[in-house]
Amino acid sequence: MNEVVQFLQANPVQYLATVGRDGKAKCRPFMFAVEMDGKLWFCTNNQKDVYKDMQANPYVQVSVASPDYAWIRLSGQAVFEDNQAAKEMCMQNPIVQGQYGDASNPIFVVFYLKDAHGVIADFTGNPPRSYDL
């Protein structure tokens, strides 16, 4: 878990892939929020299409590459939970706080990746490292 969290923190703008309600792939810039209680947490706005897409099909993939050509892919099921502690931790990010004000904002929602599987790989020829989170 630590290597996955460190990779996400070192590369703060990831891409979240969903299946849109139109059945087509959607990929959006996203930010990892925090690891808490062994779960990888993210946040969004319940008025956005990405939220509605994940409600219709919760299986997502997050990917990002580092400047030295390593990358991570995380797959899992987005589980939305009204978790006040996770919301408060997300609010520690000034970008999130600037968008939503505080954790009590009714459009502000958090989710974690259930049954997440991660792979970190690079172009060195070394085998990829897999993680079940």
Side-chain angles (χ1 to χ4, degrees):
M1 174 75 80
N2 288 340
E3 186 176 7
V4 169
V5 170
Q6 289 172 359
F7 197 98
L8 293 171
Q9 290 172 336
N11 302 284
V13 179
Q14 297 98 37
Y15 293 90
L16 176 78
T18 63
V19 176
R21 287 161 289 146
D22 62 0
K24 297 179 181 175
K26 309 291 182 203
C27 190
R28 302 162 173 94
F30 236 76
M31 291 175 58
F32 165 69
V34 66
E35 183 273 326
M36 188 178 77
D37 300 328
K39 298 175 183 172
L40 302 174
W41 290 88
F42 298 81
C43 61
T44 192
N45 171 334
N46 65 17
Q47 305 300 301
K48 290 184 175 183
D49 283 341
V50 68
Y51 173 81
K52 295 171 187 170
D53 290 346
M54 286 188 283
Q55 292 296 301
N57 183 341
Y59 294 95
V60 300
Q61 189 168 73
V62 175
S63 183
V64 64
S66 70
D68 61 349
Y69 305 106
W71 63 89
I72 190 169
R73 284 189 315 262
L74 291 170
S75 301
Q77 181 180 359
V79 175
F80 287 87
E81 184 177 289
D82 188 20
N83 185 311
Q84 193 62 30
K87 287 181 175 184
E88 293 293 341
M89 291 190 77
C90 290
M91 282 295 155
Q92 294 177 15
N93 180 322
I95 295 170
V96 174
Q97 188 176 37
Q99 289 181 343
Y100 301 107
D102 63 56
S104 66
N105 187 326
I107 67 170
F108 179 63
V109 293
V110 294
F111 65 95
Y112 66 89
L113 295 183
K114 179 181 175 186
D115 299 326
H117 178 76
V119 175
I120 297 177
D122 58 39
F123 289 114
T124 63
N126 293 324
R129 296 176 309 282
S130 293
Y131 305 86
D132 289 315
L133 310 166

